[in-house]
Amino acid sequence: MTQTARDLESTFVHAWELLARNWVLVLPGLVLAVLSAVAQFVFVVIILGAYVITGNGSQDALVASHALVAIVIVVITIAFALAQMAYVTGMAGGAWQHGRTTLRDGWDALVHRFGPILFAAALLFLIGLCAAVLSTVTFLVPLAVYAVFFIYTMASVIIGGRGPADAIAESARVAMRNFWPTAGVVVLIAVISVAGAWIGDLLGHVSAFAGWLLAGVLQQVIVAYASLVVAGEYLKLTNQPTA
């Protein structure tokens, strides 16, 4: 299926309508963000506590404990980010396919598709790393192409049920046939994200705690909306039924 500007506009409008009817889409991101922060705090306390008990104040032990803290934080952040992607994308697919979604849609995606999601993320990381290296001498063009051609990969894995390599190939095929609409999706999502970050920063100047809280909620609303847009485009462009 090829798409017009009017089709793309309808996706953004309908995605907002679905979000308005399915605010539960915001909940998984909020819960997982809190759990991620708690997990990071617990592991950092454990690691630094172990250093205090057994490190004997040595510089090498201090450096090793800080390196381990950094690694643990990165691993926890990635794990919870992938869990959130699985959960929210599964719910976004349910919203488009049935008009309504529940937490069960996200749970099913997380339980049944987390393995393929993990492998797809690893492949995307390697491709993105190559694109980043090439971008240092090609004015960021490879990164822009990467963002456009692989935007539907996770939707293909989670909603389409494809394997990691097949999902990457399908995303590239769909984006190739609809390059400009897909580029428009990427640009508009980026603009919405930047605007959300700017609003969050403004709220932070008004009140530190309230600004932090509202900025966190706003960030999850943007994530949910972007997931709905990508899921909707994926279903439309692969000719899958929607409610």
Side-chain angles (χ1 to χ4, degrees):
M1 174 184 175
T2 56
Q3 196 173 47
T4 65
R6 186 177 294 275
D7 294 329
L8 183 59
E9 179 185 357
S10 73
T11 299
F12 275 86
V13 172
H14 194 45
W16 180 253
E17 293 171 350
L18 287 173
L19 181 58
R21 293 201 304 266
N22 296 275
W23 280 105
V24 70
L25 271 159
V26 180
L27 183 60
L30 294 173
V31 172
L32 289 170
V34 172
L35 291 178
S36 177
V38 170
Q40 291 178 34
F41 175 78
V42 169
F43 277 99
V44 167
V45 169
I46 291 173
I47 293 169
L48 295 181
Y51 163 74
V52 171
I53 294 171
T54 63
N56 299 320
S58 69
Q59 187 65 27
D60 290 342
L62 179 62
V63 171
S65 65
H66 284 179
L68 185 56
V69 165
I71 292 171
V72 166
I73 289 176
V74 169
V75 170
I76 290 175
T77 300
I78 292 174
F80 276 92
L82 289 176
Q84 179 183 0
M85 182 182 298
Y87 221 109
V88 177
T89 302
M91 293 179 70
W96 276 99
Q97 291 168 327
H98 311 299
R100 292 284 183 179
T101 189
T102 65
L103 293 173
R104 179 60 183 269
D105 293 323
W107 179 253
D108 288 342
L110 181 63
V111 171
H112 300 299
R113 303 301 298 166
F114 193 75
I117 290 169
L118 191 61
F119 283 108
L123 290 175
L124 287 175
F125 173 77
L126 293 176
I127 297 171
L129 187 61
C130 294
V133 171
L134 291 174
S135 290
T136 59
V137 293
T138 54
F139 305 103
L140 300 180
V141 172
L143 277 179
V145 172
Y146 170 82
V148 172
F149 276 75
F150 303 118
I151 189 173
Y152 303 118
T153 299
M154 288 305 176
S156 181
V157 171
I158 297 167
I159 301 173
R162 294 184 178 274
D166 290 339
I168 288 174
E170 182 182 48
S171 179
R173 287 195 304 269
V174 171
M176 177 70 76
R177 291 197 302 265
N178 299 272
F179 180 80
W180 291 114
T182 302
V185 169
V186 173
V187 170
L188 289 172
I189 289 176
V191 169
I192 292 170
S193 299
V194 171
W198 178 71
I199 294 172
D201 184 61
L202 287 180
L203 293 172
H205 289 300
V206 176
S207 168
F209 176 74
W212 170 81
L213 184 62
L214 291 174
V217 173
L218 179 60
Q219 180 184 19
Q220 298 309 322
V221 170
I222 292 171
V223 168
Y225 180 65
S227 299
L228 281 166
V229 170
V230 173
E233 282 294 285
Y234 171 74
L235 289 169
K236 285 183 178 181
L237 296 177
T238 54
N239 297 315
Q240 297 187 48
T242 59

Short mmCIF file of all heavy atoms in Angstrom, two decimals, residues 38-39 82 84 108 114-116 118 165 168 170 178 180 222 233:
data_model
loop_
_atom_site.label_atom_id
_atom_site.label_comp_id
_atom_site.label_asym_id
_atom_site.label_seq_id
_atom_site.Cartn_x
_atom_site.Cartn_y
_atom_site.Cartn_z
N VAL A 38 13.89 2.25 41.01
CA VAL A 38 14.05 1.49 42.25
C VAL A 38 15.13 0.42 42.08
O VAL A 38 16.00 0.25 42.96
CB VAL A 38 12.72 0.84 42.67
CG1 VAL A 38 12.93 -0.14 43.82
CG2 VAL A 38 11.71 1.91 43.07
N ALA A 39 15.09 -0.30 40.96
CA ALA A 39 16.09 -1.34 40.71
C ALA A 39 17.50 -0.76 40.65
O ALA A 39 18.45 -1.31 41.21
CB ALA A 39 15.75 -2.08 39.42
N LEU A 82 13.20 -1.85 26.83
CA LEU A 82 12.67 -2.88 25.93
C LEU A 82 11.34 -3.43 26.44
O LEU A 82 10.42 -3.68 25.66
CB LEU A 82 13.69 -4.02 25.79
CG LEU A 82 14.94 -3.70 24.98
CD1 LEU A 82 15.90 -4.88 25.00
CD2 LEU A 82 14.59 -3.34 23.54
N GLN A 84 9.18 -1.77 28.23
CA GLN A 84 8.19 -0.73 27.96
C GLN A 84 7.79 -0.73 26.48
O GLN A 84 6.61 -0.61 26.14
CB GLN A 84 8.73 0.64 28.33
CG GLN A 84 7.73 1.77 28.05
CD GLN A 84 8.31 3.13 28.36
OE1 GLN A 84 9.45 3.26 28.77
NE2 GLN A 84 7.52 4.17 28.15
N ASP A 108 0.77 -9.86 27.10
CA ASP A 108 0.95 -10.93 26.12
C ASP A 108 2.15 -10.65 25.20
O ASP A 108 2.93 -11.55 24.89
CB ASP A 108 -0.32 -11.09 25.27
CG ASP A 108 -1.46 -11.71 26.06
OD1 ASP A 108 -1.19 -12.32 27.11
OD2 ASP A 108 -2.63 -11.58 25.63
N PHE A 114 9.23 -11.21 23.89
CA PHE A 114 10.41 -10.50 24.41
C PHE A 114 11.71 -11.05 23.82
O PHE A 114 12.65 -10.28 23.58
CB PHE A 114 10.46 -10.59 25.93
CG PHE A 114 11.47 -9.64 26.53
CD1 PHE A 114 11.20 -8.29 26.59
CD2 PHE A 114 12.69 -10.09 27.01
CE1 PHE A 114 12.12 -7.39 27.12
CE2 PHE A 114 13.61 -9.21 27.54
CZ PHE A 114 13.33 -7.85 27.60
N GLY A 115 11.78 -12.36 23.57
CA GLY A 115 12.98 -12.94 22.96
C GLY A 115 13.27 -12.34 21.59
O GLY A 115 14.37 -11.82 21.34
N PRO A 116 12.30 -12.41 20.66
CA PRO A 116 12.51 -11.77 19.35
C PRO A 116 12.78 -10.26 19.45
O PRO A 116 13.57 -9.73 18.67
CB PRO A 116 11.19 -12.03 18.62
CG PRO A 116 10.65 -13.28 19.25
CD PRO A 116 11.05 -13.20 20.69
N LEU A 118 14.36 -8.76 21.87
CA LEU A 118 15.74 -8.62 22.31
C LEU A 118 16.71 -8.81 21.15
O LEU A 118 17.66 -8.03 20.98
CB LEU A 118 16.02 -9.64 23.42
CG LEU A 118 17.33 -9.49 24.19
CD1 LEU A 118 17.39 -8.14 24.89
CD2 LEU A 118 17.49 -10.63 25.19
N ALA A 165 15.06 -10.78 11.94
CA ALA A 165 15.59 -10.46 10.61
C ALA A 165 14.46 -10.15 9.63
O ALA A 165 14.56 -9.19 8.83
CB ALA A 165 16.45 -11.61 10.09
N ILE A 168 13.06 -6.63 10.33
CA ILE A 168 13.93 -5.58 9.81
C ILE A 168 13.75 -5.44 8.30
O ILE A 168 13.64 -4.33 7.76
CB ILE A 168 15.41 -5.87 10.16
CG1 ILE A 168 15.62 -5.64 11.67
CG2 ILE A 168 16.36 -5.00 9.35
CD1 ILE A 168 16.99 -6.04 12.16
N GLU A 170 11.09 -6.37 6.54
CA GLU A 170 9.75 -5.85 6.25
C GLU A 170 9.69 -4.35 6.48
O GLU A 170 9.10 -3.61 5.68
CB GLU A 170 8.71 -6.55 7.11
CG GLU A 170 7.29 -6.07 6.79
CD GLU A 170 6.22 -6.71 7.65
OE1 GLU A 170 6.40 -6.74 8.88
OE2 GLU A 170 5.20 -7.15 7.10
N ASN A 178 7.01 3.70 0.88
CA ASN A 178 6.33 4.90 1.40
C ASN A 178 7.35 5.80 2.10
O ASN A 178 7.20 6.17 3.26
CB ASN A 178 5.24 4.49 2.40
CG ASN A 178 4.17 3.63 1.78
OD1 ASN A 178 3.19 4.13 1.25
ND2 ASN A 178 4.36 2.32 1.83
N TRP A 180 8.44 9.04 1.80
CA TRP A 180 8.13 10.38 2.29
C TRP A 180 7.12 10.38 3.42
O TRP A 180 7.29 11.11 4.42
CB TRP A 180 7.70 11.28 1.14
CG TRP A 180 8.84 11.58 0.21
CD1 TRP A 180 8.98 11.20 -1.09
CD2 TRP A 180 10.04 12.30 0.54
NE1 TRP A 180 10.18 11.63 -1.60
CE2 TRP A 180 10.85 12.31 -0.63
CE3 TRP A 180 10.50 12.92 1.69
CZ2 TRP A 180 12.09 12.94 -0.66
CZ3 TRP A 180 11.74 13.54 1.67
CH2 TRP A 180 12.51 13.55 0.50
N ILE A 222 3.74 11.08 25.41
CA ILE A 222 4.37 11.18 24.09
C ILE A 222 4.79 9.81 23.59
O ILE A 222 4.59 9.47 22.42
CB ILE A 222 5.59 12.13 24.15
CG1 ILE A 222 5.11 13.56 24.40
CG2 ILE A 222 6.41 12.06 22.87
CD1 ILE A 222 6.24 14.53 24.70
N GLU A 233 0.46 3.19 11.40
CA GLU A 233 1.09 3.22 10.07
C GLU A 233 1.49 1.82 9.63
O GLU A 233 1.30 1.44 8.47
CB GLU A 233 2.31 4.14 10.09
CG GLU A 233 1.97 5.60 10.03
CD GLU A 233 1.33 5.97 8.71
OE1 GLU A 233 2.03 6.06 7.69
OE2 GLU A 233 0.09 6.14 8.68
#
